[in-house]
Amino acid sequence: MNIEPPTPSSQPPQPHPCAASLADALGKLLSQLSTALGDFDGVGQDLGHLEESLKKPMAQFQSRVLESAAQRRADQAEPICPRCARPLTRRQKLARSILTSQGEIELARVRGWCGKCRAWRCPADEALGVEGGHSPLVREMAALFASKMPLAEASVALGQLRGRVDLQSGQSGPLRPQRPRRCREVRDR
């Protein structure tokens, strides 16, 4: 049995379309990591201090990656009803915040009216699995935490895990926002 080695392609690999938009975020991340590592060289800091100082810049970068990729997927969603596959009418482009494991991201996506279902539909939300305003991973983490402890404690623990809490004071935001999130229309500038 002869196995031929792969032949090199005459075309160089093309970077992902999201890569260019993340270059500045990567530069900022490297600068913040350098600062955090420099601070760690100081006296009186243990590994926990370094972990805490790395958490925020890493989460911000990951949030930018998530937002860029999710926006690209939202832009690719066809304006058809995800339930009955009919074209949507009365389409609007709306912005929405989505809570992810790395913080909130902002997406602009198309919402339209399905005459057959007699409901407003947002195909991008369905494609991304974010109909409730939370990413699938956040919903999974919330369900796991809530199954293991009372909801109030689960909310604080999830906030700590996501880096949304000041560990000194123990203050954390709630797992769900107090007011319902509203979609707002995106206007071209």
Side-chain angles (χ1 to χ4, degrees):
M1 177 199 277
N2 284 338
I3 298 177
E4 295 291 320
T7 58
S9 172
S10 60
Q11 300 268 340
Q14 296 296 316
H16 192 275
C18 295
S21 67
L22 297 173
D24 64 326
L26 184 57
K28 185 177 178 182
L29 171 66
L30 292 174
S31 174
Q32 291 172 325
L33 293 178
S34 179
T35 300
L37 290 170
D39 292 346
F40 181 64
D41 291 338
V43 177
Q45 292 199 355
D46 61 14
L47 189 57
H49 289 96
L50 180 60
E51 287 175 311
E52 282 298 318
S53 61
L54 294 178
K55 189 185 299 184
K56 185 176 180 181
M58 293 297 286
Q60 288 172 338
F61 178 74
Q62 290 172 332
S63 180
R64 287 282 303 269
V65 171
L66 287 171
E67 187 172 71
S68 180
Q71 186 61 61
R72 182 172 158 76
R73 173 73 58 90
D75 292 344
Q76 293 172 345
E78 294 290 325
I80 59 172
C81 178
R83 301 290 193 293
C84 70
R86 299 249 174 142
L88 298 175
T89 60
R90 300 182 356 209
R91 293 187 289 236
Q92 307 167 322
K93 192 155 191 168
L94 301 174
R96 181 175 195 188
S97 294
I98 306 295
L99 185 61
T100 73
S101 61
Q102 302 304 320
E104 284 192 350
I105 62 172
E106 189 84 11
L107 296 179
R109 76 275 191 278
V110 173
R111 177 181 82 158
W113 178 257
C114 178
K116 182 177 181 191
C117 297
R118 303 193 53 75
W120 289 97
R121 302 283 188 218
C122 191
D125 286 2
E126 182 111 356
L128 293 166
V130 296
E131 295 93 2
H134 297 87
S135 75
L137 182 57
V138 167
R139 288 194 309 270
E140 184 180 322
M141 290 185 329
L144 177 64
F145 277 74
S147 72
K148 303 294 182 190
M149 60 186 76
L151 190 56
E153 291 175 29
S155 179
V156 172
L158 186 59
Q160 287 176 335
L161 180 66
R162 288 187 42 248
R164 292 179 55 218
V165 73
D166 177 0
L167 294 178
Q168 299 296 336
S169 67
Q171 297 298 309
S172 173
L175 182 60
R176 299 178 129 289
Q178 297 299 322
R179 292 180 290 138
R181 294 173 187 204
R182 301 263 186 229
C183 295
R184 58 194 173 284
E185 196 166 341
V186 175
R187 299 195 177 138
D188 294 325
R189 292 181 184 151

